[in-house]
Amino acid sequence: MDEAPAPGLRIAVLVKHVPDAQFDRHISSDDLTTVRAESILSELDEYALEAALQLVEAHGGAAAGHRVTAITMGPAAAVSAVKKSLQIGADDGVHLTDEALRGSDASATSRALAALLQHVGPFDLILTGMASTDGETSLVPAQLAERLTLPQVTFAASLDLTREDSGWKLAARRDNDTFAETIEAPLPALVSVTDQINEPRYPNFKGIMAAKKKQIQVLSLADVGLQPDEVGFAGSWTSIEAAAPRPPRSQGIVITDEGDAGIRLVDFLAGQKLL
Amino acid sequence: MTTVLVFLDHPGASLAKSERELLSLGASLGDVAVALADDADPAYLDGVGSYGVQEVYRPDGAVSEVLVAGKAAFLAAAVRAAGADIVLLGNSYEAKEIAARAGIRLGSGVITDVVGLSSDLTATKSDFAGSYTVDCRVTTGVPILTIKPNSVEATEAGLPSPPREVRIPVELPPAAARITGRVEKPVSGRPELTEARVIVAGGRGVDGNFGPLEDLADALGGAVGASRAATDAGWIEHSAQIGQTGKTVSPQLYISAGISGAIQQKAGMQTSKVIVAINKDADSPVFEIADFGIVGDLFTVLPQATEEIRKRGL
Ligand SMILES: Cc1cc2nc3c(=O)[nH]c(=O)nc-3n(C[C@H](O)[C@H](O)[C@H](O)COP(=O)(O)OP(=O)(O)OC[C@H]3O[C@@H](n4cnc5c(N)ncnc54)[C@H](O)[C@@H]3O)c2cc1C
Ligand SMILES: Nc1ncnc2c1ncn2[C@@H]1O[C@H](COP(=O)(O)O)[C@@H](O)[C@H]1O
């Protein structure tokens, strides 16, 4: 009889579809939600995806039974964040979409993602970006870890997995202002990664072709066992009352150095009472 | 009476400016109690007491080896023990995460990056790299707010007095990430970036030589910051990075030298009061947000300015 192969790692990467920061970004005056124009896969989530792919490659790849699943929650268009992830190298994708999710804050987003991860899991490792480039709260990873009672390693600047008799163990480094920490955790765990961890790869032609055959599972709230009032505006614990574009900085003075610009700078600072 | 619980982390020898700001903000909203996860020097505790704090909640056991989850469990327990109506924390990554997890434990909304707070607890923050100002509120649970440094004025402290210590039991999560090592980074002697009144920041144009920036920063009593291009090149430590994935700063004066002004850099500095930019390229986007721009070479402009400041005896 053949020996049963060791079960592969199942890694979930949370990818968010966000407005492209290269263009002006807006908040809708109707319901104070983000206007979803010219959106992309959040650049900071590409580091999480790259980390997942590198971990799998370091431990025998897909042949060893490891699997990377790209997961997003958001409106219909958000699926393109998953598609891009499949092109880059994720094996399959999941998209949670429902009209009732509109207006979700971090608490509601983490509730929906927790239900989703439990529904499609179990996962050995959940990887996220350090922050979404639109909301920028960095709350979702910590809240997910709390909801799923998982060990949390956030802002990892390096990440390694080793296999021990007792199971997989992860080691990470994170940098604080005044110190650097090394961290260990058993799997399953949730890890958010910074932009210091790696250099994300681009999708290549082969990846783009291969992605066409990969599966994307589309799920609704009911599929993951949530009621509409548990998420979205109704299920959020914070609300946005008002949003106003900041008046653009008024055009300042620009001078060209003619040998005395350093002195003119000091004159300017003195005039502004900044010395 | 409203009870405000202020969470303090990594206590130093005495209260830091941002900690005095938190305690002052708390005192303007109600009676302040403090939750302190780690052991602190008596002088630090006296300082806490000088802001009228009578009770300091401490965990019964060590919570710090367990990454975030331990402190979050402690904070949630302290909120219950103190019967707190409002919770205030600093705005470090770690503080935000402690707030995040405690929020789930307590069923409370969390607002981060707060720069203003009205008496009815409407919190103001900026969004989209500082291009929007947003007012928000916690609608469920005890409001948990993380406050950016320099957002409120620290009031004068009263006489130092030791607060009463209240130990509370904390149940740690079964499986957790553990901190296995910690290496302290060298301290620069310059002000902390997020608290500095003046920042001189350099980018790729600095070409490995931060000397002229350090000299100007020292003449102005300021801190030295950097773009990601400069930190990635290893010319200065990563903790000096300003921008989307680095620090967000809003000093009185930000002097940008040899930085092009990419959106990710602007995200961290465009709410500065006055922005000065020095760049060789007149078409550099940084000039769009500069109050005073100089098209020129930083290696001549900066030393000249430093010398002039010294000459004027300022
Ligand atoms: C996900 C993500 C996150 C990022 N996060 C950040 C972040 O947090 N912070 C950040 O800064 N960047 C960040 N970036 C990078 C950002 O996009 C830019 O690449 C970076 O800010 C460029 O740095 P720079 O302006 O120093 O370099 P460059 O864009 O190369 O500009 C150098 C400038 O120096 C000028 N110069 C050269 N020599 C001189 C001289 N002698 N005197 C005067 N001027 C001179 C040049 O004219 C040029 O304008 C991020 C990017 C991504 C994708
Ligand atoms: N709607 C979403 N879909 C998928 N992942 C998300 C979503 N929102 C947040 N995340 C993940 O959580 C991280 C931090 O987001 P945030 O807490 O919003 O700053 C992101 O980098 C993503 O990995």
Side-chain angles (χ1 to χ4, degrees):
Chain A
M1 223 178 90
D2 285 346
E3 207 180 309
L9 281 169
R10 283 199 69 191
I11 304 181
V13 182
L14 300 185
V15 293
K16 192 174 179 188
H17 193 234
V18 299
D20 190 343
Q22 301 300 332
F23 301 98
D24 281 347
R25 296 177 292 177
H26 296 289
I27 295 174
S28 152
S29 46
D30 299 339
D31 64 357
L32 301 175
T33 59
T34 304
V35 176
R36 305 237 154 237
E38 279 137 342
S39 294
I40 52 167
L41 162 61
S42 176
E43 280 169 323
L44 294 175
D45 295 343
E46 292 187 22
Y47 296 90
L49 178 58
E50 180 66 34
L53 298 175
Q54 288 186 11
L55 286 174
V56 163
E57 285 158 7
H59 291 278
H66 306 313
R67 200 166 179 78
V68 176
T69 304
I71 293 180
T72 198
M73 165 192 136
V79 77
S80 65
V82 171
K83 286 188 177 155
K84 174 98 182 273
S85 305
L86 298 181
Q87 294 176 346
I88 296 173
D91 298 297
D92 62 351
V94 182
H95 178 200
L96 176 67
T97 186
D98 205 296
E99 199 35 54
L101 288 166
R102 195 174 171 75
S104 293
D105 71 351
S107 65
T109 300
S110 64
R111 181 180 291 130
L113 287 171
L116 174 64
L117 286 160
Q118 276 170 325
H119 179 79
V120 295
F123 292 99
D124 301 295
L125 183 61
I126 299 166
L127 287 171
T128 79
M130 63 185 276
S132 54
T133 55
D134 55 349
E136 277 184 281
T137 67
S138 300
L139 291 174
V140 170
Q143 296 204 320
L144 259 179
E146 183 70 34
R147 289 187 186 278
L148 298 170
T149 50
L150 287 176
Q152 162 193 0
V153 181
T154 36
F155 300 99
S158 79
L159 178 60
D160 284 304
L161 288 181
T162 47
R163 184 170 220 150
E164 301 188 339
D165 290 343
S166 53
W168 291 92
K169 198 176 77 186
L170 74 80
R173 197 193 79 235
R174 78 177 207 159
D175 291 315
N176 207 311
D177 266 357
T178 48
F179 49 81
E181 287 169 336
T182 47
I183 295 153
E184 279 179 13
L187 296 192
L190 180 143
V191 180
S192 79
V193 305
T194 73
D195 60 341
Q196 300 292 301
I197 195 168
N198 55 41
E199 199 56 61
R201 68 193 71 180
Y202 295 102
N204 57 25
F205 181 71
K206 203 168 137 238
I208 292 168
M209 295 314 287
K212 297 192 171 148
K213 299 200 196 72
K214 293 176 180 171
Q215 294 288 316
I216 300 177
Q217 197 182 350
V218 181
L219 297 171
S220 70
L221 267 191
D223 292 333
V224 301
L226 286 175
Q227 300 297 319
D229 63 358
E230 291 180 278
V231 296
F233 288 110
S236 291
W237 296 343
T238 58
S239 76
I240 296 182
E241 309 280 298
R246 238 182 115 85
R249 293 189 78 97
S250 52
Q251 183 65 48
I253 320 155
V254 180
I255 63 164
T256 301
D257 185 19
E258 283 160 358
D260 63 348
I263 294 160
R264 292 178 66 185
L265 169 55
V266 177
D267 288 340
F268 170 79
L269 296 181
Q272 298 279 324
K273 308 220 177 332
L274 283 166
L275 288 174
Chain B
M1 186 70 189
T2 306
T3 300
V4 183
L5 186 68
V6 173
F7 180 84
L8 299 177
D9 208 0
H10 303 299
S14 59
L15 283 178
K17 178 161 170 275
S18 57
E19 294 174 325
R20 289 188 277 118
E21 290 169 358
L22 281 182
L23 293 170
S24 304
L25 177 62
S28 75
L29 298 167
D31 282 340
V32 185
V34 158
L36 185 65
D38 299 302
D39 290 331
D41 289 347
Y44 183 90
L45 291 170
D46 279 352
V48 169
S50 72
Y51 280 88
V53 175
Q54 301 194 342
E55 254 125 49
V56 170
Y57 291 85
R58 298 292 321 278
D60 201 358
V63 295
S64 296
E65 288 89 79
V66 176
L67 197 62
V68 182
K71 288 181 182 174
F74 161 60
L75 176 58
V79 168
R80 294 202 179 96
D85 304 293
I86 304 168
V87 183
L88 303 178
L89 299 91
N91 206 53
S92 67
Y93 287 148
E94 201 177 348
K96 288 194 227 180
E97 295 179 342
I98 292 165
R101 290 189 78 135
I104 298 297
R105 284 186 168 247
L106 295 163
S108 292
V110 180
I111 300 176
T112 57
D113 302 299
V114 174
V115 295
L117 191 61
S118 69
S119 52
D120 73 343
L121 298 189
T122 299
T124 305
K125 59 186 281 185
S126 41
D127 250 351
F128 289 156
S131 57
Y132 266 83
T133 303
V134 175
D135 287 339
C136 34
R137 291 180 62 80
V138 169
T139 52
T140 305
V142 179
I144 302 177
L145 309 161
T146 75
I147 314 290
K148 280 177 100 165
N150 282 334
S151 308
V152 287
E153 204 60 59
T155 51
E156 274 306 312
L159 289 176
S161 73
R164 197 162 65 84
E165 197 176 273
V166 185
R167 291 272 169 179
I168 50 173
V170 180
E171 210 179 305
L172 294 179
R178 293 189 184 272
I179 299 166
T180 53
R182 177 172 286 179
V183 183
E184 302 288 329
K185 295 186 178 165
V187 279
S188 75
R190 297 197 178 86
E192 165 59 29
L193 266 181
T194 48
E195 293 179 359
R197 220 180 59 88
V198 175
I199 294 173
V200 184
R204 202 190 308 276
V206 161
D207 201 16
N209 178 11
F210 267 85
L213 285 85
E214 289 168 350
D215 291 345
L216 180 58
D218 290 343
L220 293 166
V224 176
S227 73
R228 195 176 84 171
T231 55
D232 279 357
W235 301 334
I236 184 165
E237 65 277 16
H238 172 59
S239 56
Q241 184 186 318
I242 288 164
Q244 184 188 53
T245 54
K247 301 238 163 71
T248 316
V249 297
S250 20
Q252 297 294 309
L253 171 63
Y254 189 92
I255 301 181
S256 159
I259 297 179
S260 60
I263 177 81
Q264 293 91 350
Q265 156 71 204
K266 283 201 277 185
M269 47 67 78
Q270 68 177 343
T271 56
S272 302
K273 193 94 182 293
V274 173
I275 298 174
V276 169
I278 299 117
N279 195 302
K280 277 207 282 208
D281 176 8
D283 295 327
S284 191
V286 73
F287 289 125
E288 291 162 17
I289 56 163
D291 299 290
F292 190 74
I294 298 171
V295 181
D297 189 330
L298 70 93
F299 291 107
T300 55
V301 177
L302 296 187
Q304 188 178 48
T306 307
E307 198 196 311
E308 182 68 15
I309 292 169
R310 297 238 156 91
K311 213 189 281 170
R312 295 189 192 183
L314 294 161

